[in-house]
Amino acid sequence: MATSDSEDFESADEGHGSPDKKERKKRLSSSNYSDNALETEQKASNTPKKSSNVKNVEEIPKETDGWDDFDIDDNEPAPTPAPAKSNVQNQNKTIEDKPSNVKESKKSQDTGWDDFEDWGEEDTSSNVQKPEPKPVQSKPQPAQSQKPEPNIQEVTDRLAAASTGGGGWGWGWSVDSLLSTATAGISTITSQVSQGISTVLETGIGAPDPEELARRSVKTNETKTDRPAPAQEADKRPETGSEQEASAGDAAFPFGSLLSGVTKFVETTGTKVIHGGLDTLETIGKKTMEVLQDGDPGLAKKRAMLGLGAGDKPVLSQVLREAKAKAEEEDKVREEKREAKEVHYENLFDDFEGLVHLEALEMLSRQVSMRIEERIRSVDVEKRQDIKETLQQVAELCEMPEEDDDDEESPSEDLSKPDAFHERLQTATQDLGLKLQFLPLVKQYTDVLAYLSSPDADSVKSVYKRGVSSLAQGTALSVEQYHKAAEMLLVKTRRSTADEADALTQMTVVLTKHISELATLFTEKLNALPSDNKEQVNTYITNIFLEAGNSSTYIQNAFQLALPILQIGAV
Amino acid sequence: MVDPIFDYQFRLILIGDSTVGKSSLLKYFTDGKFAELSDPTVGVDFFARIIEVQDGTRIKLQLWDTAGQERFRSITKSYYRNSVGALLVYDVCNRSSFEHIPLWMMEAKRHIEPHRPVFALVGCKVDLVGTDNKNGARREVTCEEARMFAEENGLHHVETSAKTGLNVEEAFVLVAQEVYNRIQTGEYKVEDGWDGIKTGFNRPNGMDFNLLEAETVQSTCC
């Protein structure tokens, strides 16, 4: 409770400081619009009524008192508290009984202040109405609204009598009797007022919930109806000032407490503001650091970026030395890679364009296969079966024969090995009806033979390297033959599929035999070379045979890729 | 043999009418030689050479030399797909070969889709121009109109001679650089199932450093 009380007090104090404004704001922003409308209507009638209303108005002074007090407080302390007391004390009783009323009325007045001059009018009606809104409002109000009237009226009457006729704010304190009304009463009033204000303020500052707003608006209405109008009028018209004076007098009493309240309020708000500001700054600072350090603990990178690194600036010569070392290292690595690649079969095969020929052949093959499928789909069901049978027959023609034709292996004695190879190729493909260029293959063979019988082939390593390279090259050239054959078959005008299939099968046989011949030549050479490292030689030999098997696979793949090209000639 | 180390492989295709000089251009580019006589290309032939683009990146150009002959047209069009660049080749002394260029270009665009290749317009045989030789060769395509066409279609244009070697290198470097630039800008990417651009087998360490640097730059921007 203590804390809450103090808070209330503070807020109440705030209210003192600038109650009008806040209230105004609230009004404008809240449900008061409708009220305003009423007010405006009433205004016209209000002014005349005021005089008659005075009674009603008189009730109000207390509230206004509260207001005025605040303003006045600063200026002057209660001038004549003592005398007032006596007068007031009677009232005080009543007031004390229902301080809440006063408080509320004050509040409402605060709010009502500027907006409604007309309230005086309503008072009558509002008085009647009061009971209704009260229930909605906080409990103290109802009590107040009902009871206060008489009490207040007394006061107001007195006030009216005592009024010195000063209109505005300043007048209040000049009225001694009124001022003396009740210190005690006022103190209670102030506390209550402060409470009320605090609630108002709090709700006003925060987002007030509709209920609150409604309640408040009702309150204000009530209070206004009770006695706000006079206050306003008083401002404008000195005549009505009497009421205000009274209120001012009332206000004068609370002075001391109010003052202390004000100072405390100022203090607390000040500290609040400062604390709030510091908190905000701190939060911002923390957040900033968080963002800065995000992904960069210790801000190492940022420091480095800004050149704030502590003493670890590199020396130029060292950088250069390191760069040179790095470059050398790179060169070395690069050289090693180059070396490794030189005996890497796949890379060599690629370098001899074997891979790309195979790829191009594959493209053709796929496209032709699609054409065949389309053709099958486009014909009748009966014909479909025929086509499928034909395709199957062509595929069977392309099956590799068993290795039973060793007899043909005996070439004419008077032919060199490459020439014999060339002749076999031509014989194999003579029914193909194409003019294939076998010379590169023959030339490569010649080169290999020349190399193996030359003094260059003196080291196991170089022979091995040449062996792998020759296999890759021979295979690439072979694959190229299938690719070329496929292309030429596709543009050939008169197809004879059976012959073509047979010719390509024969060519495949010759080429695979050629590959194994190459492998044999190199392994024999490797075996014949003197070497300290027999194991190394055996590894090389194994590798050569391995790559030879690889080569045969490529060649047979190429042959299989050419199959659809043969097939499409038949359907 | 081709130096095995490269960072990227670009596949370029040469297209154009028969006998405009595609194979001779490639032969000079890869071999530095010019053959007075050569057989017409069957289907497609392949050439390769490694060049360096401006930042020193090594590019292996895999060059697809297509047959210009009409009878191979149905075959050659199945080779377009995996190309990242296309050289539209015409003979400066052969008007119709230039007039067919738009058709070649449309053909290439159609078959390379959805990829958008770099095109270059390459005039061949400029060595024949201006020499009152007995062959009676005369320029039939002016440099200006070729350039105009190139500008209209957003192509690079260059006139070459495979005999003197004039601009041969430039023609290919032009395309390679453009492809490389588009990789840098992210327009082109290495894609599975598309062989227009491939990364090399042996990527030098430099590339790794580039990646690291790129990373740090990224991290400092936040």
Side-chain angles (χ1 to χ4, degrees):
Chain A
M1 279 304 291
T3 48
S4 63
D5 284 348
S6 65
E7 274 192 12
D8 288 351
F9 196 59
E10 287 169 11
S11 48
D13 291 345
E14 281 182 349
H16 295 304
S18 57
D20 303 21
K21 287 178 190 172
K22 285 187 181 173
E23 284 292 350
R24 255 177 252 159
K25 277 182 193 168
K26 272 184 219 159
R27 287 243 174 130
L28 292 176
S29 59
S30 62
S31 57
N32 292 322
Y33 288 120
S34 55
D35 295 346
N36 286 334
L38 287 176
E39 294 159 14
T40 43
E41 288 177 9
Q42 295 166 349
K43 273 186 183 177
S45 54
N46 282 344
T47 29
K49 286 184 180 179
K50 280 173 190 170
S51 53
S52 61
N53 286 337
V54 171
K55 266 196 180 179
N56 295 331
V57 176
E58 283 175 342
E59 297 174 351
I60 304 161
K62 281 199 177 175
E63 303 153 1
T64 39
D65 291 353
W67 274 116
D68 293 348
D69 295 341
F70 301 142
D71 295 310
I72 298 162
D73 289 340
D74 299 338
N75 299 333
E76 296 193 17
T80 50
K85 272 185 186 175
S86 59
N87 289 335
V88 180
Q89 271 183 353
N90 299 333
Q91 295 177 352
N92 280 350
K93 269 192 180 179
T94 49
I95 294 176
E96 281 181 11
D97 292 343
K98 316 138 193 185
S100 57
N101 295 337
V102 182
K103 160 186 63 171
E104 286 204 359
S105 59
K106 279 183 182 175
K107 256 195 279 171
S108 57
Q109 279 190 346
D110 298 344
T111 50
W113 189 261
D114 311 324
D115 300 329
F116 315 96
E117 303 175 346
D118 356 311
W119 286 107
E121 265 198 2
E122 281 195 358
D123 291 351
T124 40
S125 59
S126 66
N127 287 340
V128 182
Q129 290 172 348
K130 280 173 191 174
E132 297 172 6
K134 285 167 193 171
V136 187
Q137 299 171 347
S138 51
K139 289 168 187 174
Q141 287 181 348
Q144 155 200 22
S145 56
Q146 289 180 345
K147 293 182 182 177
E149 288 190 15
N151 297 332
I152 294 172
Q153 276 201 350
E154 293 177 14
V155 176
T156 44
D157 290 342
R158 266 184 254 150
L159 288 174
S163 67
T164 35
W169 304 72
W171 298 105
W173 35 274
S174 58
V175 187
D176 303 352
S177 60
L178 285 178
L179 287 181
S180 63
T181 329
T183 345
I186 285 172
S187 68
T188 48
I189 289 172
T190 42
S191 69
Q192 286 172 339
V193 168
S194 65
Q195 277 184 356
I197 289 178
S198 74
T199 51
V200 173
L201 281 176
E202 278 167 10
T203 43
I205 291 166
D209 57 18
E211 270 189 49
E212 252 309 293
L213 282 175
R215 221 183 294 147
R216 232 184 289 145
S217 66
V218 176
K219 274 191 205 170
T220 47
N221 283 342
E222 288 180 359
T223 47
K224 281 171 190 172
T225 46
D226 285 340
R227 34 217 120 139
Q232 292 179 345
E233 287 174 2
D235 278 350
K236 291 174 183 175
R237 306 181 186 182
E239 310 144 26
T240 44
S242 59
E243 313 155 291
Q244 287 200 334
E245 292 167 297
S247 63
D250 287 346
F253 287 104
F255 237 84
S257 60
L258 277 178
L259 256 189
S260 70
V262 169
T263 36
K264 201 192 172 190
F265 156 71
V266 170
E267 267 176 22
T268 44
T269 6
T271 45
K272 258 191 183 175
V273 168
I274 291 169
H275 279 307
L278 286 177
D279 284 349
T280 312
L281 278 175
E282 193 179 350
T283 316
I284 291 171
K286 276 182 182 164
K287 194 69 200 162
T288 308
M289 283 305 281
E290 270 173 29
V291 172
L292 280 175
Q293 296 207 14
D294 186 37
D296 185 11
L299 293 176
K301 282 182 199 160
K302 263 123 217 159
R303 282 206 188 102
M305 191 179 71
L306 295 171
L308 300 177
D312 54 4
K313 280 187 187 171
V315 184
L316 180 60
S317 62
Q318 194 187 335
V319 170
L320 290 175
R321 235 178 287 129
E322 278 170 9
K324 194 182 164 223
K326 208 168 88 180
E328 278 170 2
E329 182 68 19
E330 269 173 32
D331 281 354
K332 205 177 143 197
V333 169
R334 188 177 274 225
E335 198 51 46
E336 278 169 5
K337 281 182 179 170
R338 190 194 310 263
E339 185 98 335
K341 215 188 164 197
E342 266 177 30
V343 286
H344 191 278
Y345 180 85
E346 314 296 340
N347 289 346
L348 289 165
F349 183 63
D350 187 25
D351 287 344
F352 288 117
E353 316 295 357
L355 220 49
V356 70
H357 274 294
L358 208 57
E359 191 186 330
L361 177 58
E362 199 178 342
M363 287 176 172
L364 286 181
S365 183
R366 210 179 299 141
Q367 205 162 52
V368 171
S369 296
M370 275 158 55
R371 265 161 61 193
I372 292 175
E373 277 171 29
E374 267 173 39
R375 204 167 291 184
I376 291 175
R377 252 182 280 131
S378 65
V379 298
D380 303 335
V381 183
E382 301 165 18
K383 273 192 178 178
R384 247 177 235 183
Q385 200 50 43
D386 290 350
I387 291 177
K388 280 179 183 168
E389 278 173 19
T390 310
L391 293 175
Q392 185 54 36
Q393 284 168 7
V394 176
E396 281 166 9
L397 280 173
C398 293
E399 275 169 16
M400 291 294 286
E402 300 293 321
E403 300 205 20
D404 53 8
D405 39 357
D406 283 12
D407 333 333
E408 287 185 31
E409 201 48 49
S410 53
S412 347
E413 295 296 328
D414 49 333
L415 278 180
S416 69
K417 274 177 153 183
D419 286 344
F421 172 51
H422 195 190
E423 199 178 271
R424 283 202 299 282
L425 280 173
Q426 284 183 323
T427 312
T429 57
Q430 65 187 5
D431 290 340
L432 197 56
L434 305 173
K435 213 180 154 192
L436 290 173
Q437 292 294 326
F438 295 120
L439 281 177
L441 267 171
V442 174
K443 184 173 181 297
Q444 193 243 342
Y445 191 22
T446 312
D447 289 349
V448 167
L449 289 172
Y451 168 79
L452 287 173
S453 56
S454 77
D456 290 343
D458 54 351
S459 87
V460 172
K461 183 155 190 183
S462 60
V463 169
Y464 166 67
K465 274 162 79 172
R466 180 70 186 240
V468 175
S469 162
S470 297
L471 284 174
Q473 190 179 14
T475 309
L477 291 170
S478 302
V479 169
E480 183 176 352
Q481 293 306 318
Y482 291 97
H483 180 213
K484 288 292 156 204
E487 287 176 332
M488 287 157 83
L489 283 173
L490 281 175
V491 298
K492 199 175 145 193
T493 44
R494 276 194 8 234
R495 303 287 298 268
S496 52
T497 307
D499 289 344
E500 291 160 9
D502 185 57
L504 276 188
T505 311
Q506 294 300 319
M507 187 176 86
T508 309
V509 172
V510 173
L511 286 173
T512 47
K513 276 190 177 158
H514 172 63
I515 292 298
S516 56
E517 163 75 359
L518 286 177
T520 309
L521 285 173
F522 278 99
T523 51
E524 279 173 358
K525 183 69 183 178
L526 281 173
N527 265 326
L529 280 173
S531 168
D532 313 332
N533 192 346
K534 224 31 183 174
E535 207 173 302
Q536 178 71 72
V537 172
N538 283 336
T539 311
Y540 284 157
I541 289 173
T542 312
N543 275 349
I544 294 271
F545 279 121
L546 212 82
E547 303 301 5
N550 219 350
S551 300
S552 295
T553 308
Y554 276 121
I555 289 170
Q556 299 203 11
N557 280 345
F559 182 36
Q560 286 308 308
L561 286 173
L563 179 59
I565 287 111
L566 292 170
Q567 287 173 324
I568 203 168
V571 295
Chain B
M1 199 202 303
V2 183
D3 187 329
I5 294 172
F6 55 90
D7 302 306
Y8 288 104
Q9 174 179 296
F10 298 163
R11 181 172 296 181
L12 309 182
I13 194 164
L14 275 77
I15 50 180
D17 281 6
S18 131
T19 74
V20 295
K22 298 181 291 297
S23 300
S24 294
L25 192 70
L26 281 170
K27 192 159 183 59
Y28 188 92
F29 178 60
T30 56
D31 261 5
K33 291 177 193 157
F34 173 71
E36 286 290 345
L37 291 174
S38 63
D39 292 332
T41 306
V42 172
V44 65
D45 273 334
F46 304 107
F47 296 83
R49 190 185 141 181
I50 288 182
I51 60 162
E52 283 187 7
V53 287
Q54 274 165 20
D55 66 2
T57 304
R58 292 169 65 82
I59 312 287
K60 178 181 176 182
L61 297 180
Q62 190 186 73
L63 303 150
W64 290 49
D65 177 25
T66 62
Q69 289 178 344
E70 183 69 37
R71 64 189 187 121
F72 287 115
R73 204 62 51 83
S74 65
I75 294 174
T76 50
K77 71 183 180 194
S78 47
Y79 295 138
Y80 284 75
R81 197 181 93 81
N82 280 326
S83 309
V84 72
L87 281 77
L88 305 164
V89 186
Y90 68 96
D91 176 356
V92 296
C93 299
N94 179 344
R95 180 85 205 165
S96 70
S97 75
F98 177 69
E99 283 167 354
H100 290 155
I101 288 293
L103 300 176
W104 284 111
M105 189 165 75
M106 275 173 51
E107 184 92 340
K109 277 184 178 167
R110 200 156 61 95
H111 288 104
I112 296 176
E113 268 184 354
H115 297 277
R116 295 161 54 83
V118 172
F119 282 106
L121 183 60
V122 182
C124 285
K125 308 189 188 178
V126 286
D127 55 282
L128 292 181
V129 174
T131 58
D132 285 331
N133 56 23
K134 286 131 207 166
N135 299 336
R138 242 180 308 137
R139 183 187 272 274
E140 293 181 2
V141 183
T142 67
C143 190
E144 288 71 30
E145 61 183 327
R147 182 138 292 158
M148 212 146 79
F149 174 83
E151 276 172 18
E152 281 168 11
N153 293 277
L155 322 173
H156 296 283
H157 172 250
V158 67
E159 285 191 345
T160 67
S161 164
K163 190 167 186 176
T164 67
L166 175 76
N167 286 339
V168 174
E169 184 101 1
E170 285 77 355
F172 293 95
V173 170
L174 210 68
V175 177
Q177 184 70 51
E178 179 67 27
V179 173
Y180 183 69
N181 291 345
R182 293 191 190 182
I183 291 175
Q184 299 302 99
T185 61
E187 188 180 342
Y188 288 165
K189 289 185 192 79
V190 180
E191 294 172 31
D192 282 343
W194 183 63
D195 294 328
I197 302 170
K198 287 190 203 171
T199 47
F201 293 110
N202 296 293
R203 172 165 289 223
N205 297 340
M207 294 305 286
D208 302 334
F209 290 131
N210 285 343
L211 286 177
L212 282 178
E213 277 162 24
E215 222 173 49
T216 52
V217 166
Q218 245 179 6
S219 66
T220 50
C221 74
C222 61

